[in-house]
Structure formats: C-alpha cells, structure tokens
C-alpha cells in the first residue's frame, strides 16, 4: 500500500485504528489465481465457488496440467468443468470439455477437427484473466472464451471473431478427461430441438483405486440452432443423435462426443451451460436449471464474487508500507485453502443419510499440517462440515479416508493422519452436529484394527506396532497388505497419530486407559533412534551430527539408510523416494528431515539431540544446507520448531528466509505442488504470525508480516488482533522484545485457539535483535516430556527449575497418568 507512505503520522495512526472496522470488501483485489500456474505449482487457476464442484478453466497440454491450465505455453485442448488444484501425479479430472470453432472449413462439419490431440491450438499469451469466480482467455483462432460457475454448473461464453459473422460457429463437447482415463460405454445424447446434450462416462481417479461415473447436462443459448449431432473419432454427423462409445484399443480413449452448430455468430457470443453430477443426468440438468436458470453471466459471476468476498472477509490488515506483492501473496494463499476440498453434498451415490459429503481431500497427508487448521480459524463452519463428512465416510466405508477423490479411496502416504485432523478440530472446540463419539471410534479403529488392504486407509504392521513398538523394515505382516516401505516415516507418523488419539481421549474424558495406552505408544518414535548413527555429505565430509532415526528389522538389527538419501541435496536422481515398492524407509524426504518429526514431544527430542543449543544447530543445518525441501509439506513445521528450543526469534528469521524467496506472487512462485492449498496455507499462516502444531491447541507466535492483522471469528463474531509495535516493513526488526495479551504482559511464545474465539489482542513490540522474550522454559509450548538442558542464557533457555510443562494446551493436565516413566523411556 505504497500510497499511504506519504501521509502524516497523525493520519497514519488514525488509519491504523480504522482498519479494524474494514469489512474485507477489498480483499478480493489481492487474489492472484495465476500464482503457481507454472513451475509445478499445478494450481487450479480458473473459475469456482469456494469448495465448488464446478471448476471451469481452459485445459492445456503442458507437462504440468494437473489443474487444467498452466501459463507454460501449452496448447488449449478444451474447456472442461471439473478440476482439482495443486495435485501431483496424473492430471486430475478435466471432464466433459467444450471446444469452439468460428466455422468449419467449407461449411462442412467433417472439416472441423474433433480429436483432442489434433484440435488443440495456442492461446494469446496476454489474454488470460483470472479473478475469483472468473476466467477468460482468447485462442489463437480469435475465439474469446470467458467463464464463471455456480456450485455444480459452469457457464462458458464463446465470442467468435467479427470476421466470422455470416458463418456457423460450432461447439463440440468431448467425452474426455485430462488424463484420458475414460472407460468403456460413455454415452451422449443430443436433443435436436432444444440442443440439450446429456450423458455420462466412467473415469479413473488420479491417485486412487476403483472408478467413478460422472454425468453432465449441457444447454446452449445466444443463437438459433442450425444443426447438432455426435462425433466419433474424426467424423461427425447431424443425422445421429446419440452415441455409446468404447474406450477403444491401443489404450487411448476414442474421441467421441456431441456437437452443435449455430445459425449465426452474434456479437455477444453464445453461452454454453454445463452442470455435472455424480448421481444422474437428471440431477445434473436440475442443478443447471436451478443454479443458472437464465444463463445470466453477470448474475452468476456476481454471486461467485460475493461468495469469495465473504470467505476472504474474516482477515483484515493494516499493511502500511508493505509492498502490495506481499498482500497479494497472503490473500492468494488464503484463497487457495478454499478451492479444495470440494463440497459434493447431495452428490454421493454411495450413501446419503443427510450428512455433508466432501471430496477431493487430496491428500490429508498434505492438508493436516496447516490447511485444515487454517480453516478452523477462517472458515470453521466449512471445516465442521468436512469433519462430519470424514466421520460419516468412516461410518459407511469402515475407515477414515487418507486421500479421497471422486468417491474413490486414494493412496495413503504415511500415517492415518485423519486422526490429527479430528483431534485438531476437537481440541479447538468445533461442535455443531459433529458426532465426536463416533469420531473417536474412528481414530481408535485406525490405531487398533489393520485393514486387509492398507494401501488406502488405516495403518499397516499393527501387530509389530503394538508388540515391538515400531514398524520394522521389511516387516512380517500376514494380516494386511500394502507397500512395505517407509518404515521410519510411518513409525513417526503413527506415533504422532497415537499422541493425537491420547489428546482426544484426554479431552473427551472417561477414557483413562486409552489416554495411558496411546500416550505410551506416542513415544514409540524413541525405538527407532540410533544414537551412534552418523551422517556424511555426499563429498564425504562429516556433518558432525550423531544420532538419527533409522530403520530397524524385526530381529532388532538396524537397517542402514544414509540419512541424506531423498533429501534435496541427494545427487542421485534415480533414487526412489515416493510410494513405489522400491522406495526408501522415509517417504518423499530424508531421515534428516524426519529427524524433527516428533510434534508431540519436542522436549524429549531436544534432550535426545543434546539440548537446545545442539537442537538449534541441527535445525539450522537442515535449512542452511538445503537438506529440507520447502516445496513439500514435511518441511512446514521445521521452520518454526526453534520455538521449542527457546529461540522464537530464529523461527521468525527462518520464515522470512523462505517467504517471499521461495513463495512469491508470480506464476512460477511456488516451490512445489500447491497440494490442494497446503502451500497456500503455509504462506497464509506464516505471514499472519501464528503457525499451528496441528492436533494441539498451540499456535507458535512470530510477528505478522503486516503492521496489524485482525481475524473476526465467523463463529463468535469476536475479533482477534495481532499488532506489531515498531513495525518495520523492511523486516529488519522481526524479533519480539516483549508482548502483551489483552494489555497484560505475555511471555509465552505460543497461544491457544481461544485467542480467536474470544477475540483477544496480542501486541508484539519488535526490535532488530533477538531478545529474551519467549525463551524461558515456562514460555515454551507444551510437550509430552520435561524440557531439560536449558540453562538461562539466550539459546540456553531457562535454568530448568520452572517445573514441568506438558501439552494439552494448559487446559487439562495429564493428571491421572504416569507419563514420567514413559517420557524417560528409551
Ligand atoms: C463493506 O464496506 C463497504 C465500503 O466500506 C460498504 O459499502 C459495504 O456495505 C460493507 N458491507 C458490509 C457487509 O458491511
Ligand atoms: C501448439 O500448436 C501449434 C500449432 O497449432 C504447434 O506449432 C505447437 O508446436 C504446439 N505446441 C505444443 C507445445 O504442442
Ligand atoms: C459396457 O457395455 C457392455 C455391453 O452393454 C458390457 O458388457 C460391459 O460390461 C460394459 N463395460 C463397462 C466398463 O461398463
Ligand atoms: C453481422 O452481419 C449482419 C448483417 O450481415 C449485421 O447486421 C450484424 O451487425 C453483424 N454482426 C457483427 C457482430 O458484425
Ligand atoms: C455444502 O453444500 C450443501 C448442499 O448444497 C450446503 O447446504 C452447504 O452449505 C455447503 N457447505 C459449504 C461449507 O459450502
Ligand atoms: C536381522 O535381519 C536382517 C534382515 O533380514 C539381517 O540382514 C540381519 O543379519 C539379521 N541380524 C541378525 C543378528 O540375525
Ligand atoms: C542411485 O539410486 C539407484 C536407485 O536406488 C541405485 O540403483 C544406484 O546405484 C544409485 N546410484 C549411485 C551412484 O549411488
Ligand atoms: C542452497 O540453495 C541455494 C539456491 O536454492 C543456493 O543459493 C545455496 O548456495 C545453497 N546452499 C548450500 C549450502 O548449498
Ligand atoms: C544489536 O546487536 C548488535 C550486535 O549483534 C549490537 O551491535 C547492537 O548494539 C544491538 N542493538 C541493540 C538495540 O541492542
Ligand atoms: C548455556 O547455553 C549456551 C547456549 O547453548 C551455551 O553457550 C553456554 O555454554 C551454556 N552455559 C552453561 C553454563 O551450560
Ligand atoms: C532459575 O530459575 C528460577 C525460577 O525461574 C530463578 O528463581 C533462579 O534464580 C534461577 N537460577 C539461576 C541460577 O539462574
């Protein structure tokens, strides 16, 4: 907001006060949907409602078109209406694409090009416009297309070049999807009189099992119909009105679909309205007719803008002196947290018992860390529906999902992290209609019952987990089957999952045995600590650090994975690090980075690593040597873990190291896949200065990137504010010197969720040097074990006489449970 710089000090302070009264009307202007549209961000850049099922955009054929469109100069293959956002792997969805022609050569439909592979054309680079609820692009053919959406319905407007006046524009509708996964027996029928096209096709999910059927219903307006019909492969005919088409030979779906030609090419263009459903063609047609009854583009667009305005309104800023690009970075990150998951309530053919149904949880391994926790602040009502949906999915499918897309079970990457999400929502007080007893049953089932096929739900190796206290490398497991890799990262995640179950049991009450059992299992991470494990760089140089987690066989012998394998600096590009069955004992990351993944017991980990100073040294090394990969979610918490070592200043420094250097408001501005908004939430929560340790009632405090930030709770209507005194837009003064909470001195370096619901005010006085604020043992966030080895200097923490500080957010103590013995066990 450079314009404010020149005004007087008096006016400035007035402006700061006024900011609290802002209602968020203007926040939409800071959303740039094209952030992450290149360089593998894979975001969905098009038009959608918050959590909308209809997601309209131009699809391109570039290598990273997972979200449909990219700014990487691919050619446009069509305009489809379902998408995911930020996912990796195969492109997701992209079903039922339109493609426009101003005219067919020689006025012969057969001379228009129908197959996707040959019809695709470039777009005019400067023609792309994207804003909430809107996307526009002009093809090299001169056809200008813009689009907006309602919940299940997209409205596309095709404007043909003036030169095509007098000709007969054609739109085709293709029974295809982005990854060419269509199966046999897709159908389309075309109504000669009304022009309506409806049909269905079976597709495969992009990262999961099984298949699903999508239905559509398309209508047209703006010009009289000249003729219509179907196409199959390269040929079309107006005398055939329906088609049933096979997948075909050669593993590539035969092109097939419908077409319509118009008698004229009006200046206002022709409108194509298409609704999708997972239930039936009739339901798609009903949605279309009720959601966009009159093909009114502006009304539909305005409704989408209003919906987004409301979703972006809880958080307001005073951004005096801060470059606008940072504000854009912030609100665009927030925007992306609400594109996925998608609200498919009323669209679930598998069951409908009146509960909400959300889909495109893609995947919880990504979103449990900060995206869904962010929604507990910004959109708790939506999160409540999502939690109900997860629990309801457990009731009908037998398990909480781990990754779920288009009604299908997606692949599990690590632990049963829905446990963390449920615990997070429970601890933060979400209630409205959530059946928490059933929710608790669901997380206990994850911990106790092994699915026959743990590819996609629950956990594997539970006998070993219960009896040995770790997942062995090359486990013997005859009860359930899944990819037998990731023994270290799965053990660490299972341990934290159990920690979260203990937390839920503790807060639910009356479950003391469970609290004890799961608290005990939550310390299983200790069983994979190999205290003499060394780590050498790939040039042979000793990192100097000793003691890492390591895989362990059933017989107790250590496995031997180099701690730097699968790190960013691993020079071996053929190393297999993901879900392949030749993968490592850590998933998509190194033993080095997983060496910090003990979110429930940082005090215990710090002791193990030789005290806070050594812990900080190791954490610095992880970041400074580029071992961590900030483009993947396991890195998120490591940015802020300095808090636990009594060095909140270093978390602030590290946050500014990564933002905006690695997260900038440019097309190529994301360091990795956005993963349904996970990266967006990392940006948003880092910049707002409160980062969650998910599953716990804990936000780690760093100074917001803005002079002040206010968050109005959509539940209580109260407004929480964080205000920086001595705010420095050049970010040299990013160190908290002192703080007050509601006017009282506040020395803890973390705060709990009541900050938001009760609308508290946190004032942080900043300086250019690290201070002693938040460094004493009694200032540190809760942890299962006792903090030890802190000695009273900055970087040494307090002298440790302050007594025990455990988790449970200071709300309920583990009073009846003997954790002393557990915590000390090794
Ligand atoms: C928001 O503020 C704008 C201008 O400040 C005002 O016109 C509008 O009515 C307000 N909206 C609400 C919902 O308060
Ligand atoms: C896009 O299409 C144009 C011609 O239509 C072709 O020359 C170009 O190679 C295509 N680009 C890609 C990336 O396929
Ligand atoms: C397609 O239809 C045929 C005949 O109607 C049937 O035998 C086949 O199972 C169907 N295939 C699929 C994938 O539905
Ligand atoms: C198309 O041509 C007709 C007459 O041929 C004219 O009335 C109309 O304005 C033209 N429309 C456009 C968009 O040029
Ligand atoms: C989800 O969709 C249902 C049915 O349309 C609606 O009632 C509900 O408000 C939606 N929830 C959210 C969070 O948008
Ligand atoms: C333990 O099992 C591993 C893996 O099968 C094997 O390499 C190792 O030799 C065994 N150790 C002992 C002591 O038997
Ligand atoms: C790189 O990794 C591959 C796959 O694990 C392995 O086969 C190969 O030996 C490794 N190369 C080197 C130089 O270590
Ligand atoms: C880490 O990577 C950055 C570029 O991403 C580079 O500038 C820096 O030198 C690297 N640091 C080390 C220690 O390799
Ligand atoms: C900040 O620290 C530097 C040395 O790191 C010192 O020179 C300077 O005086 C300190 N400033 C304040 C205000 O303490
Ligand atoms: C206290 O910790 C600091 C920082 O780690 C260290 O430099 C110092 O030597 C420690 N002092 C004592 C008395 O242990
Ligand atoms: C240790 O901490 C306690 C309480 O915080 C304090 O009273 C005491 O003076 C400290 N001792 C030393 C040696 O710093």
């Amino acid at each position: 907001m450079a314009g404010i710089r020149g005004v007087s000090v008096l006016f400035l302070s007035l402006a700061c006060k006024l900011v609290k009264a802002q209602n968020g009307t203007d926040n939409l202007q800071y959303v740039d949907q094209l952030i992450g549209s290149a360089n593998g961000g894979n975001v969905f850049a098009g038009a959608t409602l918050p959590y909308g099922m209809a997601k309209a955009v131009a699809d391109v054929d570039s290598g990273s078109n997972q979200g449909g469109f990219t700014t990487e100069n691919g050619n446009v293959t069509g305009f489809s209406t379902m998408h995911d956002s930020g996912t990796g792997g195969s492109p997701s969805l992209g079903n039922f694409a339109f493609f426009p022609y101003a005219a067919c050569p020689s006025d012969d439909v057969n001379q228009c090009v129908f197959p996707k592979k040959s019809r695709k054309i470039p777009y005019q680079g400067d023609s792309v416009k994207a804003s909430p609820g809107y996307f526009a692009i002009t093809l090299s053919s001169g056809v200008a297309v813009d689009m907006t959406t309602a919940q299940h319905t997209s409205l596309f407007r095709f404007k043909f070049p003036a030169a095509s006046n007098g000709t007969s524009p054609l739109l085709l509708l293709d029974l295809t999807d982005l990854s060419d996964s269509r199966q046999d027996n897709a159908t389309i029928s075309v109504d000669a009189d009304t022009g309506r096209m409806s049909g269905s096709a079976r597709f495969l999910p992009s990262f999961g099992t099984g298949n699903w059927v999508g239905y559509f219903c398309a209508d047209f307006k703006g010009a009289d119909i000249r003729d219509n019909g179907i196409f199959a492969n390269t040929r079309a005919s107006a005398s055939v009105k329906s088609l049933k088409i096979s997948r075909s030979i050669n593993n590539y779906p035969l092109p097939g679909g419908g077409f319509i030609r118009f008698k004229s090419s009006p200046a206002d263009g022709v409108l194509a309205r298409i609704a999708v459903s997972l239930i039936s063609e009739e339901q798609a047609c009903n949605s279309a007719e009720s959601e966009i009854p009159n093909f009114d583009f502006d009304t539909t667009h305005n409704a989408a803008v209003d919906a987004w305005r409301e979703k972006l309104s809880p958080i307001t800023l005073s951004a005096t002196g801060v470059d606008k690009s940072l504000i854009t970075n912030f609100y665009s990150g927030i925007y992306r947290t609400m594109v996925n998951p998608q609200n498919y309530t009323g669209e679930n053919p598998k069951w409908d018992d009146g509960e909400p149904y959300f889909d495109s949880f893609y995947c919880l391994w990504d979103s449990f860390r900060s995206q869904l926790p962010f929604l507990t602040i910004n959109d708790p009502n939506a999160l409540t529906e999502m939690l109900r949906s997860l629990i309801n999915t457990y009731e009908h499918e037998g398990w909480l999902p781990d990754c779920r897309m288009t009604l299908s079970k997606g692949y599990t990457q690590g632990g049963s992290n829905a446990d963390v999400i449920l615990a997070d929502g429970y601890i933060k007080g979400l209630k409205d209609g959530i059946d928490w007893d059933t929710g608790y049953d669901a997380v206990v089932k994850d911990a106790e019952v092994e699915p026959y096929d743990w590819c996609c739900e629950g956990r594997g190796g539970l006998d070993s987990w219960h009896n040995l206290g770790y997942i062995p490398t090359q486990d013997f497991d005859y009860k359930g089957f899944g990819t037998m890799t990731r023994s270290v990262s799965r053990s660490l995640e299972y341990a934290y999952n159990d920690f979260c179950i203990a937390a839920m049991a503790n807060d639910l009450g009356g479950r003391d045995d469970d609290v004890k059992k799961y608290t005990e299992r939550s310390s299983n991470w200790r069983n994979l600590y190999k205290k003499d494990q060394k780590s050498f760089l790939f040039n042979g140089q000793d990192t100097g650090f000793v003691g890492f987690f390591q895989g362990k066989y059933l017989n107790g012998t250590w496995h031997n994975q180099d701690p730097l394998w699968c790190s960013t600096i691993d020079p071996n590009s053929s190393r297999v690090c993901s879900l392949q069955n030749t993968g490592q004992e850590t998933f998509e990351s190194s033993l080095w980075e997983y060496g910090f993944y003990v979110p429930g017991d940082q005090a215990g980990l710090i002791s193990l690593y030789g005290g806070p100073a050594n812990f900080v040294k190791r954490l610095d090394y992880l970041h400074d040597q580029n071992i961590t990969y900030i483009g993947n979610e396991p890195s998120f918490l490591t940015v802020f873990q300095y808090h636990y070592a009594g060095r909140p200043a270093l978390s602030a420094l590290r946050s500014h190291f990564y933002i905006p250097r690695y997260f900038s408001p440019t097309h190529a501005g994301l360091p990795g896949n956005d993963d349904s908004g996970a990266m967006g939430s990392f940006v948003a929560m880092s910049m707002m200065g409160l980062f969650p340790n998910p599953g716990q009632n804990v936000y780690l405090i760093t100074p917001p990137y803005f002079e002040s930030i206010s968050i109005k709770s959509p539940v209580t209507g109260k407004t929480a504010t964080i205000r920086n005194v001595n705010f420095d837009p050049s970010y040299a003064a990013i160190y908290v010197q002192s703080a007050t909470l509601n006017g009282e001195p506040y020395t803890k370096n973390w705060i709990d969720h009541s900050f938001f619901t009760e609308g508290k005010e946190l004032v942080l006085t900043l300086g250019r040097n690290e201070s002693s604020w938040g460094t004493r043992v009694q200032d540190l966030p809760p942890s299962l074990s006792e903090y030890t080895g802190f000695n009273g200097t900055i970087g040494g923490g307090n002298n440790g006489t302050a007594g025990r500080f455990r988790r449970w957010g200071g709300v309920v103590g583990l009073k009846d449970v003997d954790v002393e013995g557990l915590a000390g066990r090794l």
Side-chain angles (χ1 to χ4, degrees):
M1 300 232 293
I4 295 179
R5 267 182 205 151
V7 297
S8 75
V9 172
L10 183 69
F11 185 80
L12 254 183
S13 69
L14 197 65
C16 293
K17 287 200 183 95
L18 284 175
V19 118
K20 268 191 251 169
Q22 268 181 16
N23 61 13
T25 303
D26 294 323
N27 295 342
L28 280 184
Q29 69 184 296
Y30 298 115
V31 174
D32 180 352
Q33 279 147 241
L34 296 175
I35 295 172
S37 62
N39 191 35
N42 297 358
V43 299
F44 170 72
T48 181
L49 285 179
Y51 319 113
M53 181 169 177
K55 293 195 185 323
V57 82
D59 294 324
V60 297
D61 66 348
S62 83
S64 60
N65 64 345
Q66 280 82 352
F69 180 74
T70 75
T71 43
E72 288 172 334
N73 289 323
N75 282 333
V76 173
T77 58
F79 297 87
S80 71
T81 205
M82 293 177 83
H83 290 91
D84 276 310
S85 187
T87 62
S90 319
S92 204
L93 303 171
N95 317 79
F96 309 125
F98 288 113
F99 194 83
Y101 289 102
C104 298
S106 310
D107 199 30
D108 171 9
V109 288
N110 273 305
Q111 293 194 41
C112 271
V113 180
F114 289 90
K116 182 165 69 171
K117 278 185 170 171
S118 35
R119 71 184 180 227
K120 62 190 182 182
I121 53 169
Y123 61 91
Q124 296 177 9
D126 57 359
S127 68
V128 176
K129 291 196 181 65
S131 59
Y134 185 78
F135 185 86
I137 194 170
T138 301
L139 302 176
S140 61
S141 62
V143 181
V145 191
D146 64 355
M147 60 210 75
T148 186
T149 61
Q151 182 64 26
H152 311 91
T153 314
S154 300
L155 188 61
F156 295 90
R157 180 162 57 188
F158 296 93
K159 287 188 183 169
F160 302 94
S164 59
N165 195 2
T167 65
S168 186
L170 178 145
L171 292 179
L172 66 84
L173 194 165
D174 194 338
L175 296 166
T176 189
D177 66 338
L178 275 170
S179 61
D180 295 321
S181 78
R182 198 193 74 225
Q183 305 295 294
D184 268 355
N185 300 347
T187 64
I188 187 167
S189 56
V190 180
D191 188 296
D193 302 322
T194 64
R196 171 167 285 185
M197 299 180 190
S198 61
S200 68
R202 186 178 295 276
F203 301 99
L204 304 182
S206 51
F207 188 65
T209 59
N211 56 64
W212 62 282
V213 178
Y215 302 87
F216 64 90
C217 180
D219 297 287
F220 306 89
K221 194 180 171 188
D224 291 338
I225 301 169
R226 175 180 171 190
D227 58 7
N228 60 14
I230 60 97
F231 72 92
N233 214 339
T234 59
R235 291 291 164 250
S237 169
S239 59
V240 183
K241 303 294 184 194
S242 68
L243 170 73
K244 172 174 162 182
I245 189 167
S246 87
R247 177 169 171 81
S248 160
I249 53 170
N250 295 333
N251 207 30
Y252 182 79
L254 261 176
F259 75 89
I260 181 168
R261 281 199 298 178
F262 302 97
K263 282 183 179 159
S264 63
S265 177
D268 289 345
V270 296
L271 291 158
R273 179 186 73 184
I274 180 167
V276 284
S277 171
L278 302 177
I279 301 281
S280 65
E281 291 171 28
E282 294 67 34
Q283 182 148 323
C285 294
N286 290 341
S287 294
E289 286 165 9
S290 64
E291 292 175 2
I292 310 184
N294 303 314
F295 291 73
D296 186 333
F297 196 96
D298 291 341
T299 299
T300 308
H301 179 209
N302 289 340
V305 168
D306 286 346
W308 278 112
R309 176 173 292 134
E310 191 198 326
K311 294 296 185 191
L312 292 169
S313 68
I315 302 186
T316 52
L317 304 174
S318 166
T320 312
V322 172
D323 195 275
K324 182 175 177 242
S325 72
L326 286 156
I327 310 176
T328 299
N329 215 0
F330 179 68
Y331 280 110
S332 302
I334 293 178
Y335 169 88
R336 297 202 306 277
T337 66
M338 294 178 280
V339 173
N340 264 15
Q342 302 184 21
N343 186 356
Y344 288 1
T345 303
E347 290 293 343
N348 179 0
K350 296 191 167 176
W351 68 85
D352 181 9
D353 57 9
E355 281 294 282
Y357 180 72
F358 278 70
D359 202 297
S360 285
F361 286 107
Y362 200 163
C363 296
L364 297 186
W365 187 82
D366 304 303
S367 55
F368 86 84
R369 300 165 202 266
S370 54
Q371 184 187 352
L372 298 180
F374 177 72
L375 296 181
T376 62
I377 300 166
N378 194 66
D379 199 357
N381 296 323
L383 187 70
T384 297
E385 289 184 23
M386 291 174 203
L387 295 177
R388 285 169 60 181
S389 173
L390 291 174
I391 294 169
N392 195 235
T393 299
Y394 155 76
E395 291 182 281
H396 291 273
E397 301 262 46
W399 301 93
L400 290 166
D402 195 67
C403 193
R404 193 170 176 87
M405 72 282 297
T406 38
L407 311 166
S408 307
K409 295 178 181 183
Y411 300 114
T412 303
Q413 289 153 281
S416 49
N417 288 312
D419 306 348
V420 183
I421 292 163
L422 262 56
D424 197 67
Y426 184 76
I427 285 167
K428 291 173 183 170
L430 297 188
K431 291 212 167 56
D432 253 2
I434 303 177
D435 177 352
W436 280 118
D437 285 327
T438 303
Y440 184 71
D441 292 347
V443 299
V444 165
K445 187 170 181 189
D446 282 340
E448 299 297 337
V449 183
E450 181 167 329
Y452 175 72
D453 184 354
W454 46 268
C455 69
C456 307
E457 56 204 4
R459 311 183 195 172
L462 279 182
D463 278 357
S464 294
W465 184 245
H466 296 162
N467 300 325
L468 293 173
Y470 62 97
I471 297 299
T473 303
Q474 292 163 25
D475 194 12
F476 174 58
D477 184 356
Y478 60 94
K479 294 184 176 166
F481 304 90
T483 305
M484 297 284 278
T485 56
R486 305 159 288 147
S487 63
V488 176
S489 54
R490 280 167 52 216
S491 292
L492 292 165
E493 293 194 17
Y494 293 174
Y496 189 56
N497 297 152
D498 284 342
F499 179 92
C500 289
I501 297 172
M504 261 182 97
N506 187 69
D507 279 17
L508 276 160
R511 291 170 167 87
D512 288 354
D513 289 350
D514 283 4
V515 176
K516 187 169 190 306
K517 174 166 67 174
Y518 295 116
T519 302
E520 189 170 337
R521 287 186 192 160
S522 82
S523 292
N524 279 351
W525 57 273
R526 292 177 181 271
N527 297 327
L528 291 187
Y529 183 68
K530 184 165 184 277
K531 63 175 187 296
D532 61 352
Q533 175 70 53
K534 294 183 159 190
S535 168
F536 297 88
L537 295 174
F538 293 97
N539 64 11
Q541 188 191 323
D542 193 345
T543 64
F545 295 93
V546 184
F548 290 86
F549 296 122
Q550 183 60 277
K552 197 192 268 184
Y553 296 108
L554 273 162
N555 60 13
T557 299
W558 292 106
H559 176 62
N560 185 23
Q561 177 176 322
D562 185 308
L564 285 169
W565 279 10
C566 298
S567 71
T568 315
I569 58 172
D570 184 347
N572 188 344
S573 56
S574 33
R575 187 102 51 217
V576 179
C577 296
S578 193
L579 211 44
Q580 305 90 332
N581 57 18
T582 51
Q584 307 302 323
E585 301 313 316
T586 44
F587 180 74
E588 290 188 353
S589 185
S590 58
L591 289 169
W592 249 96
E593 183 160 82
Y594 274 107
F596 293 92
Y597 194 69
V598 184
D601 194 359
Q602 287 290 289
L605 189 69
I606 289 167
S607 301
L608 213 51
Y609 285 171
N614 287 333
F615 181 86
V616 165
K617 214 168 132 197
R618 194 185 276 237
L619 200 46
D620 275 342
Y621 197 88
L622 175 85
H623 292 287
D624 290 339
Q625 299 300 316
N626 295 336
I627 295 169
T628 189
Y629 172 40
I630 200 67
N632 207 10
E633 287 72 12
S635 65
F636 285 4
L637 196 56
T638 66
V639 174
F640 298 94
Q641 274 171 262
Y642 295 99
H643 272 69
Y644 289 89
R647 304 291 299 278
L650 299 183
S651 297
L653 189 62
R654 200 53 78 179
S655 165
H656 283 275
F657 174 77
Y658 285 116
I659 301 171
R661 187 178 288 116
Y662 289 82
F663 298 85
S664 64
T666 60
H667 296 175
L670 296 183
N673 306 153
D674 194 45
D675 288 325
S676 294
M679 295 283 148
S681 69
F682 176 78
V683 172
M685 296 199 78
S686 299
M687 294 184 83
M688 73 189 277
L690 293 176
F691 203 84
N693 188 341
Q696 302 177 46
N697 200 352
V698 169
Y699 298 94
L700 307 171
I701 300 170
T702 50
Y705 283 48
F706 310 101
E707 183 165 42
S708 82
I709 177 162
S710 292
I711 308 103
K712 182 172 177 180
S713 165
V715 170
T716 63
K718 294 185 178 166
T719 298
T721 299
I722 316 173
R723 197 153 56 79
N724 286 321
V725 176
N726 300 335
F727 177 65
D728 169 14
S730 76
Y731 301 124
I734 53 166
Y735 304 113
V736 179
Q737 309 294 302
S738 63
T740 61
L741 184 65
N742 288 347
E744 299 293 321
Y746 192 76
T747 61
K748 289 184 168 54
N749 67 28
W750 62 281
I751 201 162
D752 69 26
H753 193 67
S754 69
F755 174 71
F756 298 105
T757 52
E758 293 173 18
K760 298 178 184 174
E761 187 190 39
L762 182 64
V763 178
L764 306 174
T765 300
L766 308 186
R768 289 170 178 258
N769 286 355
E770 183 170 13
S771 79
S772 62
W773 177 83
T775 62
R776 300 171 309 160
V777 165
Q778 59 264 44
D779 302 330
L780 308 184
S783 177
L784 184 61
S785 303
E786 192 173 354
Y787 283 101
T788 59
F790 287 70
N791 74 9
T793 61
I794 297 178
N798 190 274
N799 64 17
T801 59
R804 296 183 49 100
F805 289 85
R806 298 202 204 98
R807 67 168 319 277
W808 320 127
V811 181
V812 191
L814 265 180
K815 35 192 178 315
D816 304 323
V817 182
D818 170 28
V819 288
E820 311 270 338
L822 300 174
R825 192 167 63 101
L826 213 158

